[in-house]
Amino acid sequence: MTQHNAIKLFEEKRVRTIWDDQQEKWYFSVVDVVEILTHQENHQGARNYWKVLKNRLAKEGNETVTNCNRLKLPAEDGKMRLTDVADQEQLFRLIQSIPSPKAEPFKLWMARVAAERLDQMQDPELSINQAMMDYKRLGYSDNWINQRLKSIEIRKELTDEWKRHGLQEGVQFATLTDIIYQTWADMTAREYKQFKGLKKENLRDNMTNKELVLNMLAELSTKEISESRNPETFCEHQQIARQGGEIARNARMELEEKTGKAVISPMNAKDGLLLNKKED
């Protein structure tokens, strides 16, 4: 079963979702949905509400609760944690147990999300257009969006190369990614996020154009070297990740020397990156 995590927005509220390629359906985080429908101020309040509701429904023999899956979704601390999820049909039944004026709008939103994904499977270009629309709605510039979409393509090519060699998503991918960051930016992904004042936000969504370009160079170089070397051990993959990062590091050092300006910036989306006035 191949799954793809995604963040969807309902009235500017984040809903963690995961797409199952085999079953061709979305699974939605139950806690996120409960938070929206019950107007909870935070995840903890939503978790408490869901805990009480789940116990009540279980006692009533409600199949919606007993059939709920638990899948790994990104948590507030950035780690992947098991979370109660429900598909569209299950959520429709669950929503009936939660009195909320947002119930009907949310049902329509879920149906639209499901339809959009099926359309995108038939025409991948729709996925790119959707991503562009999402970034535009958040205020990113056209120039930045073009760079970001390209970075997504390059990142996927690299992870596909790692998968081809049997590497595991999660710890091994994260280790190699950290090596790439550490080599070209002198920081691990966690340190980089702290430098930018980020918590659960996506690091690449908070990079300037120059940072995105150099990170793309590092990941592209890593992929190209891996294809030519055909590494057999994880240790060899680590060495190649350093080599790919070194190429971007050399470019960074030369650019900083010629311009007298640091490439690594504490600027993030909230600080003005979205306005694209300080960084091109």
Side-chain angles (χ1 to χ4, degrees), residues 147-197:
Q147 296 282 16
R148 183 69 179 96
L149 294 179
K150 191 65 179 177
S151 76
I152 293 172
E153 176 186 346
I154 290 174
R155 174 68 181 180
K156 186 178 186 306
E157 290 177 352
L158 174 59
T159 55
D160 284 347
E161 170 66 9
W162 287 342
K163 290 177 184 177
R164 185 175 70 86
H165 287 277
L167 298 187
Q168 298 176 356
E169 296 185 58
V171 175
Q172 289 189 323
F173 279 26
T175 298
L176 295 176
T177 300
D178 264 348
I179 290 173
I180 293 172
Y181 279 134
Q182 182 76 59
T183 304
W184 85 260
D186 294 323
M187 289 180 281
T188 63
R190 181 177 181 180
E191 292 168 341
Y192 207 157
K193 292 181 73 170
Q194 290 175 339
F195 178 69
K196 284 182 171 287

Side-chain angles (χ1 to χ4, degrees), residues 136-151:
K136 275 183 174 293
R137 186 177 64 251
L138 292 172
Y140 289 93
S141 70
D142 289 342
N143 187 27
W144 185 94
I145 292 171
N146 290 333
Q147 296 282 16
R148 183 69 179 96
L149 294 179
K150 191 65 179 177
S151 76

Side-chain angles (χ1 to χ4, degrees), residues 25-116:
K25 66 169 64 174
W26 283 111
Y27 287 95
F28 300 81
S29 164
V30 175
V31 169
D32 291 355
V33 175
V34 168
E35 182 176 340
I36 291 171
L37 297 180
T38 60
H39 303 284
Q40 297 293 322
E41 295 183 357
N42 52 50
H43 263 34
Q44 187 57 51
R47 280 193 288 266
N48 292 338
Y49 188 104
W50 169 232
K51 182 179 180 180
V52 173
L53 177 61
K54 181 164 62 171
N55 288 335
R56 178 171 66 81
L57 294 176
K59 290 179 180 178
E60 295 174 356
N62 191 303
E63 293 183 359
T64 301
V65 173
T66 57
N67 292 334
C68 268
N69 292 294
R70 286 178 62 80
L71 299 175
K72 285 189 175 182
L73 292 174
E76 293 174 319
D77 59 6
K79 296 181 180 180
M80 301 297 290
R81 299 187 183 279
L82 284 173
T83 306
D84 285 338
V85 297
D87 62 22
Q88 184 179 358
E89 183 179 350
Q90 290 170 325
L91 271 186
F92 279 156
R93 294 200 297 269
L94 180 61
I95 289 172
Q96 294 175 355
S97 304
I98 304 175
S100 171
K102 292 187 179 293
E104 290 307 315
F106 195 86
K107 289 180 181 179
L108 292 174
W109 174 83
M110 277 198 304
R112 188 165 62 250
V113 167
E116 286 174 354

